[in-house]
Amino acid sequence: MQTVYYIILVPMVYLAFAVFIVGSIVRIAKIFREPPNPTPLEIHPVKKPGWLWTLTDTFLFPTVRRHKPVLWVFLMAFHICLLLLLIGHLELLADFAVFQVIPHEIFLGNGFVGLILAVCLLYFLFRRFVTPVKDLSVPEDYYLLILLFLVVIFGSEMDWARSWYDYGEMEVTDYRTYMLSLVMLKPELPYSTTFSGHSFMLILHVFFANLFLMFFPFSQLMHAIFSLPMNKLRRG
Amino acid sequence: MQQNSKPVDDSHQTPKTPGSPGFEPARQMAYMRRAVKDNLSRKIQAMLNSCVNCGMCAQSCHYYCSTGDSDVIPVKKFEKLTRLLRTHFHPLKSRLPFYGSKDQPDEQMMAALYKAAYEDCTLCGKCALTCPMGINTGEILSLARAMLCSIGRLPSGLVHPVETAFEVGNYLGLTTQDFVENIEWIAEELGDEIGVEGFTIPIDKQNAEVLYIPHPLEARDLPFLLMYALKILYAAGEDYTVSSYDFDTVNYAYYQGSKDNMMRIARRMLDAREKLQARSIALAPCGHGYRVMRWEAEKYLGKRFDFPPVQSIVELIDRYIHQGRIRLEKNKYEGPITYHDPCNIARRGGVIEPPRNVLHALTSDFVEMQPNRARNFCCGGGGGLASTGDFGKLRVTAGKKKAEQIRQTGAKIVATNCFNCMTQIRDLSKAYELGIEVKSVVELVSESLIM
Ligand code: HEM
Ligand code: SF4
Ligand code: SF4
């Protein structure tokens, strides 16, 4: 069993990142391989300054707010939480003074970030069972949401255990040792990460996260990268 | 894969358009590959790659709003193209056994693509406004149109007009001689009407301020429409002319998806201006014609024209009113008037406020449709659909949303600024018994002129 743990926690993480990076580059390269032709795409009226409207379009989803206000609330909550999550994970690597402008414990949000994400994901999932979204969803859409839900649930569990139930066997310092060692390419697994009662949570979280990363370049998740240039196109 | 031997609807099998060399099955793939190569740009590839399958576009498309058929949700329409590109045109995936094929796609796939590209999308661009990623299904489907056009598989209404435009110089095949005669006749009539002895309409006058390009239908079948426009130009004291070389705003090649054909037609208008050294060009009410001359041609050439931007005649009228060059009798028309924004003039063209200014000058009872301006729904006659007789029923079905919009305004008169829109809204009015009159803004202005 320990071998499986090791494979998931070390080689698979490297593999996942490799697939993620290479896959994304290939996907972007595929687009840039095509000739830049002069098809005009902007929609009128053109508002100035274009780049500012592009940023609004990209980060505030005004079109969704206008047509689907409920979805918009979930979307905003979801994406803001994703951002907090990203910061949270970075802080597991090291302390960043910038993020401590508002002093907080690691992990950000005291467990609620994960909760909100989980709720949003359930909403997204149920939404996919209703027309017209049902009619245009492909199986990958459902897999993706379920996968992400699993990542979030197991990740949150560790957080909830620590911050709500004072579970003390796996500490931030342990995560930090593990993650930094990965970054330094000298993998090292602290005892608690593989032998404590909640180890399997960590293993599952990392396992699903790996799958998620490997799935990323081949799925609609590429919208995270494409949305900015795409919205710029529309703004002309 | 064998090509299905199911007979193809005759109307698709119309003979070769210039630029579409033929459709022998063995060579179709080569033609289509070429069309993909020429038309698949970085932008389209980016759009094909960034959809989040969120379904926001469904409610923005008048097809879906009118029919509720899941097959016409924008993302489902361009999905058909995505799939085809993956399985038959992708350099690697098309070689995978059981997945791709280098042969001609089967008839079912081609028919589905044809339906999506030519029948189920008017290229109106409304979906691009709603999509959080800015994906413009119409623009993507132009690529599908270009592919189908390259093998001569396109609606009859987009074949003959283009051929005629290449041969004769306008899509109706009106000869220069007939045109000049008609103009002279119009001059006589107009002279009588305004009571000016020996009134003439300047043809091929050099160095005029404005070269007015009429719609050939105006010049042939509906001369009074042309008369309206010319009367306004005259009343404003404009230094204008018409050309005997080009009198065609229409550019159906744009709807073929073939940019080269489009430019060939557009070039004629540019040449006409060049010959006469006119300072600017003004176009008769024509949506796609405006779009081509205002935006597409410049982008195709990769540079700005060396004369002021092409204008639609409503823009001129707006300016005349603003400058006090024409005076209008207000409220000559009774009852509420609404304005239908043609997609290619408003959302895709950028002319949004001028027609409203004009209508406000004409009536104190102007009502907006909901939604309006850039967000207005397509009438259902765009994309070249209005030019193909067989699509009549389809247009009426797809126009249900528009009919509802119009009914909600309670307007008596629907003014618009595009020939295709007028035709389509008249058809809708009949089919849905809206009891409205459809008029061009030009007509309303001309009839209210205080000379
Ligand atoms: C790290 C970056 C991002 C990640 C990981 C991410 C992830 C996700 C996920 C998992 C969904 C749910 C998909 C679904 O419902 O099937 C989603 C939806 C969405 N995201 Fe993002 N996103 C990111 C960035 C962005 C950005 C920058 C935009 C800006 C436009 C954006 C716009 C949207 C929109 C409009 C949806 C709605 C899709 C739906 O309702 O299903 N996302 N995102
Ligand atoms: S361009 Fe217009 S007709 Fe075509 S899919 Fe988009 S909204 Fe529908
Ligand atoms: S709105 Fe845009 S991103 Fe959403 S499903 Fe439609 S095309 Fe895709």
Side-chain angles (χ1 to χ4, degrees), chain A residues 59 61 73-90 99 107-108 112-118 120-121 124 144-145 148-149 151-152 205 212 216 220-221 223-225:
Chain A
F59 295 107
F61 322 143
V73 170
F74 281 99
L75 273 181
M76 281 314 274
F78 179 80
H79 286 92
I80 291 171
C81 288
L82 271 184
L83 190 68
L84 296 180
L85 211 59
L86 193 70
I87 296 175
H89 282 87
L90 284 176
F99 298 144
F107 211 91
L108 258 175
F112 284 101
V113 168
L115 189 63
I116 296 174
L117 282 173
C120 291
L121 283 166
F124 292 151
L144 173 71
L145 288 170
L148 213 61
F149 184 74
V151 179
V152 167
H205 180 65
F212 171 76
F216 192 100
Q220 44 135 305
L221 284 167
H223 78 265
I225 296 170

Side-chain angles (χ1 to χ4, degrees), chain A residues 57-61 63-64 71 75 78-79 82-83 86 120-121 123-125 127-128 133 140-142 144-145 148 212 216 220-221 223-228 231, chain B residues 52-56 131-133:
Chain A
D57 284 353
T58 310
F59 295 107
L60 298 178
F61 322 143
T63 66
V64 185
L71 174 62
L75 273 181
F78 179 80
H79 286 92
L82 271 184
L83 190 68
L86 193 70
C120 291
L121 283 166
Y123 173 78
F124 292 151
L125 191 58
R127 202 176 80 87
R128 290 223 174 267
V133 189
E140 288 95 277
D141 296 334
Y142 299 93
L144 173 71
L145 288 170
L148 213 61
F212 171 76
F216 192 100
Q220 44 135 305
L221 284 167
H223 78 265
I225 296 170
F226 291 142
S227 58
L228 189 67
N231 276 296
Chain B
V52 285
N53 271 4
C54 67
M56 291 288 298
C131 171
M133 300 293 142

Side-chain angles (χ1 to χ4, degrees), chain A residues 161-236:
Chain A
R162 266 192 321 111
S163 40
W164 296 354
Y165 302 107
D166 296 323
Y167 177 79
E169 277 186 54
M170 277 197 294
E171 291 286 345
V172 168
T173 44
D174 297 328
Y175 300 138
R176 203 169 264 184
T177 317
Y178 161 60
M179 288 174 66
L180 270 178
S181 74
L182 281 182
V183 176
M184 299 302 171
L185 303 181
K186 281 195 232 75
E188 171 193 340
L189 296 175
Y191 182 79
S192 67
T193 51
T194 48
F195 286 100
S196 65
H198 277 201
S199 293
F200 79 100
M201 292 293 174
L202 177 68
I203 310 288
L204 286 176
H205 180 65
V206 174
F207 176 71
F208 289 123
N210 285 339
L211 288 185
F212 171 76
L213 276 178
M214 292 194 273
F215 192 32
F216 192 100
F218 309 101
S219 69
Q220 44 135 305
L221 284 167
M222 287 300 279
H223 78 265
I225 296 170
F226 291 142
S227 58
L228 189 67
M230 283 298 297
N231 276 296
K232 181 75 185 77
L233 276 188
R234 170 170 52 186
R235 284 294 174 186

Side-chain angles (χ1 to χ4, degrees), chain A residues 136, chain B residues 50-58 75 78 130-133 135 137:
Chain A
L136 52 88
Chain B
S50 43
C51 175
V52 285
N53 271 4
C54 67
M56 291 288 298
C57 46
V75 45
F78 74 74
T130 318
C131 171
M133 300 293 142
I135 295 172
T137 303

Side-chain angles (χ1 to χ4, degrees), chain B residues 231-246:
Chain B
K231 186 172 165 192
I232 297 171
L233 290 170
Y234 168 76
E238 185 62 87
D239 172 21
Y240 74 98
T241 185
V242 291
S243 159
S244 65
Y245 177 68
D246 186 59

